[in-house]
Amino acid sequence: MIKDLIRQEPVSADALPAISAQNFAVSAADVLVFTTALSRQLMTSSDCRQYPELIALGHWLRQGNLNALTANIAKQSYRPLGLVVHYTPANVDTMFIYSWICALLMGNRNLVRVSGRDSDVQTVLLEKLRYLLLLPEHAAIHAGNQFIHFERDDPAGPSVSMLADARVLWGGDDSVRQIRGLSCKPRCRDISFADRFSAALINVDALNSDGAQSADEKAKGMASALWRECDMFQQQACSSPRILFWTGEKQNWNTLTRALSGIAVQHAPSMVQRNEQLVLAQWCIADGAASTAEQCGDLSLVHINHWHHALLERHQGHSTLFCIHIDDVQAIAGYDHAGWQTLSYAGFEKEVLFKIIRALPIQGIDRVVPLGNALAFSPDWDGYDLFSQLGRKVVFE
């Protein structure tokens, strides 16, 4: 049985308004009125302030940001695909909103299957959506968009899949394979976001470069940016770094870790997390992959000297970074993998880094962003342009 999470009642698949709303037509202006209202709810409500991921989502939903993101697509001729079904991840509570908004901005109707794994963030987010979608001024959007839940083995699963004109699949490799195994229309588009990993790259010698800031002040800025990428979503997002490549002198590395200890210590880790950090560090040392480990407040830094990709299978988050010292940027090619999504960087000139990475013979890295921005969602994600993938381009000759 399907549960409608907005009306909070059971419903059959054929009774979902998004399926029957064949003449769904909501203007871009109406969508922006809704997203602006949601942004305001997330950024000003007292129950959202303790969750940085909700504040970040609210900031992304600002009208100015969405206008900038859609500026290029608005110059071209796109039509909606029809019904988009989103299968959301269990480990990142807000991710389904980003793909939903992209599909909504392209004029699609949407069914969003929300994970059954409850969390405080998900509860608050659904409360804000419920409040707005039940208002009369957003009735048109609600008619074409439902947030639902059904179990994986529910008979509704194949039925919903067969109705989709596109499926957005968030989850681990096994979950994505299972959903892709469901029958669908011949022209149904699958946009799959499966298991990925990410890394950060820091030139610690940049701490001694000329400028108004002292080395300690620069280190504090770097440490804050790195911690922000590790702390939000408890390092469960694919774009959260699990590897930290660093280049430069050891004394400058020590300056950075001192700053990091001062930043990360503000968040007291649980005993379970400390135990997980200790177990992983000891396993890596016993395996011969790591030489030492150090604790920087809440963050565990495991120094790797013999890398093999299976180490990532052991890494379950818990505020841990595999730290690898490299002599130059070109050395990251030796750690290449098709599953590598994001590289965030600090201490390098953007143009110089772009030229180096562009010339490397690598399969991975879909995004290269300044340190601190790894979790900032963009419609260009995992190598997809979501706007073009969620629309049907009409060509005039």
Side-chain angles (χ1 to χ4, degrees):
M1 177 63 72
I2 298 173
K3 181 179 181 181
D4 184 327
L5 299 179
I6 300 302
R7 296 196 179 279
Q8 296 183 298
E9 60 186 19
V11 61
S12 60
D14 57 3
L16 289 166
I19 292 173
S20 58
Q22 297 298 326
N23 297 319
F24 178 69
V26 175
S27 70
D30 289 336
V31 173
L32 288 174
V33 168
F34 174 80
T35 54
T36 299
L38 180 56
S39 173
R40 190 179 301 114
Q41 284 280 321
L42 295 175
M43 295 182 71
T44 62
S45 298
S46 58
D47 51 351
C48 294
R49 291 174 189 162
Q50 60 182 308
Y51 303 114
E53 53 268 63
L54 292 181
I55 301 299
L57 174 59
H59 191 262
W60 187 83
L61 286 167
R62 290 172 302 120
Q63 183 171 342
N65 181 58
L66 295 184
N67 282 338
L69 292 175
T70 57
N72 289 331
I73 206 77
K75 299 174 184 177
Q76 303 176 61
S77 181
Y78 278 91
R79 301 291 295 167
L81 293 177
L83 179 68
V84 179
V85 179
H86 306 251
Y87 297 84
T88 70
N91 59 341
V92 183
D93 299 301
T94 59
M95 192 56 72
F96 66 90
I97 295 292
Y98 293 101
S99 65
W100 171 57
I101 293 297
C102 288
L104 183 58
L105 286 166
M106 295 304 291
N108 295 292
R109 294 169 287 122
N110 296 273
L111 289 178
V112 184
R113 180 200 177 272
V114 178
S115 168
R117 187 186 301 176
D118 292 332
S119 72
D120 293 341
V121 171
Q122 180 177 294
T123 298
V124 172
L125 182 53
L126 286 172
E127 285 175 355
K128 303 307 176 189
L129 288 168
R130 184 176 302 118
Y131 168 74
L132 291 174
L133 288 172
L134 292 178
L135 292 176
E137 55 264 41
H138 303 308
I141 289 179
H142 189 200
N145 297 269
Q146 278 86 60
F147 294 84
I148 60 176
H149 175 70
F150 54 83
E151 298 298 333
R152 286 188 179 185
D153 57 354
D154 193 288
S159 301
V160 169
S161 179
M162 276 301 300
L163 295 167
D165 296 294
R167 302 184 297 186
V168 181
L169 318 178
W170 297 94
D173 290 349
D174 291 340
S175 295
V176 169
R177 288 191 194 99
Q178 181 184 29
I179 298 167
R180 293 184 71 172
L182 297 174
S183 297
C184 61
K185 296 177 181 179
R187 284 174 54 81
C188 177
R189 297 184 185 181
D190 277 350
I191 305 169
S192 301
F193 300 107
D195 286 334
R196 307 295 298 276
F197 72 93
S198 295
L201 171 66
I202 296 179
N203 173 19
V204 294
D205 286 350
L207 297 176
N208 290 329
S209 61
D210 295 333
Q213 287 187 314
S214 67
D216 286 339
E217 289 172 326
K218 292 176 185 176
K220 186 176 180 179
M222 278 188 185
S224 296
L226 179 61
W227 177 239
R228 186 161 64 249
E229 294 187 348
C230 295
D231 186 32
M232 194 181 297
F233 302 123
Q234 293 76 53
Q235 219 179 6
Q236 294 302 302
C238 291
S239 53
S240 301
R242 298 194 172 195
I243 305 171
L244 171 58
F245 297 104
W246 66 279
T247 181
E249 299 297 325
K250 186 65 164 62
Q251 62 185 24
N252 295 324
W253 168 260
N254 292 339
T255 301
L256 176 62
T257 56
R258 282 197 302 272
L260 193 55
S261 294
I263 296 295
V265 78
Q266 298 170 3
H267 301 262
S270 67
M271 185 61 68
V272 171
Q273 176 167 294
R274 276 283 169 84
N275 287 340
E276 292 291 344
Q277 289 175 338
L278 181 62
V279 168
L280 179 60
Q282 290 180 336
W283 183 88
C284 289
I285 293 172
D287 181 65
S291 54
T292 59
E294 60 180 311
Q295 196 73 28
C296 290
D298 192 12
L299 196 58
S300 174
L301 306 180
V302 181
H303 294 277
I304 303 297
N305 49 14
H306 295 292
W307 173 258
H308 51 90
H309 191 73
L311 290 174
L312 286 172
E313 298 175 6
R314 290 271 181 171
H315 195 309
Q316 300 299 314
H318 301 294
S319 297
T320 296
L321 286 170
F322 290 144
C323 299
I324 302 174
H325 182 257
I326 56 176
D327 294 327
D328 52 49
V329 176
Q330 287 86 346
I332 67 174
Y335 303 87
D336 180 40
H337 188 275
W340 186 347
Q341 186 208 64
T342 298
L343 177 68
S344 55
Y345 66 92
F348 296 91
E349 294 293 332
K350 176 181 175 180
E351 293 75 14
V352 173
L353 188 61
F354 174 76
K355 289 180 180 178
I356 293 173
I357 292 179
R358 187 178 184 183
L360 293 177
I362 55 178
Q363 301 179 67
I365 306 182
D366 296 325
R367 303 170 64 231
V368 182
V369 299
L371 190 69
N373 291 351
L375 296 170
F377 185 82
S378 164
D380 296 309
W381 199 259
D382 266 17
Y384 291 109
D385 175 352
L386 273 179
F387 285 139
S388 64
Q389 290 290 319
L390 291 167
R392 176 173 57 85
K393 189 171 185 179
V394 180
V395 178
F396 291 87
E397 295 183 353

